[in-house]
Amino acid sequence: MVKRGFIFDLDGVIVDTAKYHYLAWKHLANELGFDFTEEQNEAFKGVSRRRCLEILLELGGISVDETQFDRWLFEKNEDYLSYIDKMDESEILPDVPKVLDYLKHKEVPMALGSASKNAIPILKKVKLLSYFDTVVDGNQVSRAKPDPEVFLIAAEKIGVPPERCVVFEDAIAGIEAANTANMISVGIGAEETLKGAKYVFRDFTEIEIDFIKQLAFI
Ligand code: B16
Ligand code: MG
């Protein structure tokens, strides 16, 4: 029997880097003369860096040429990386290692599927890189979620057909991407937000190993 493959999003599933993205975007917005709220930051989750800056500039009513746009993209990322640099294992979200350890022990193929171009340095910082057979990130995809490209590449790389893959995602666009790819979607977050997911858990502390076992071996 073909095993199931497990694909994990990064920000909001494995670590909460959204708070650092927020600080860096807010810093840039303030520098440009307007504020950026945590509520507005919600719409940035799972969205590519480039698209986030487009939205931020729309919020501030600012239009710029490509050179300045790229300069701000770079500046925001440098700021973000200064937070990432201080990360360690204590920032892994609760009970994530419980699930990763179980799957690793059972030799279930695992992939990371993230929009971030900083996924590998983050995984190294929190010492989780070795758990994943492959990392598909923002450097390898041309179409952002809700396009299923990131998850389809991940499935191909771990050699598991899409319909046998399970995706853990915290963003609506990510759940949509998983569903479009014909994968089993598991939402991490609020049920009201992640209505489209096949299963929803507030966080990994709500996930029993028995549930993972069933998902992995049926
Ligand atoms: P970077 P995910 C996403 O990560 C974040 O949720 C999103 O807020 C961010 O803009 C995007 O990565 C790009 O990140 O600037 O590091 O390339 O949820 O897809 O793991
Ligand atoms: Mg996410």
Side-chain angles (χ1 to χ4, degrees), residues 182-209:
N182 209 11
M183 297 177 177
I184 300 146
S185 53
V186 182
I188 302 294
E191 191 139 20
E192 317 83 76
T193 322
L194 302 170
K195 277 191 213 85
K198 185 159 169 66
Y199 306 96
V200 182
F201 299 93
R202 174 142 283 287
D203 56 37
F204 278 76
T205 64
E206 282 190 356
I207 303 182
E208 302 285 343
I209 284 298

Side-chain angles (χ1 to χ4, degrees), residues 9-13 45-46 145 169-171:
D9 174 52
L10 180 63
D11 174 28
V13 170
K45 291 185 178 173
K145 302 168 192 173
E169 251 294 347
D170 69 309

Side-chain angles (χ1 to χ4, degrees), residues 21 24-25 28 49 71-84 116-118:
H21 281 296
W25 286 126
L28 180 63
R49 193 185 312 165
R71 220 175 275 148
W72 283 335
L73 262 192
F74 178 78
E75 202 182 297
K76 182 270 168 182
N77 195 50
E78 287 295 294
D79 198 7
Y80 175 66
L81 289 177
S82 68
Y83 295 106
I84 298 309
S116 175
K117 293 187 172 177
N118 297 303

Side-chain angles (χ1 to χ4, degrees), residues 47-109:
V47 176
S48 75
R49 193 185 312 165
R50 191 157 266 278
R51 182 64 198 132
C52 289
L53 182 56
E54 283 169 6
I55 305 172
L56 191 84
L57 295 179
E58 278 162 28
L59 289 170
I62 295 173
S63 53
V64 282
D65 61 22
E66 199 54 28
T67 314
Q68 184 58 61
F69 187 92
D70 287 345
R71 220 175 275 148
W72 283 335
L73 262 192
F74 178 78
E75 202 182 297
K76 182 270 168 182
N77 195 50
E78 287 295 294
D79 198 7
Y80 175 66
L81 289 177
S82 68
Y83 295 106
I84 298 309
D85 200 43
K86 296 183 204 100
M87 284 181 86
D88 62 22
E89 303 99 296
S90 66
E91 298 211 36
I92 301 169
L93 289 170
D95 277 3
V96 167
K98 169 188 84 181
V99 172
L100 296 183
D101 279 333
Y102 174 79
L103 292 170
K104 193 80 196 156
H105 178 69
K106 295 289 181 189
E107 295 177 358
V108 174

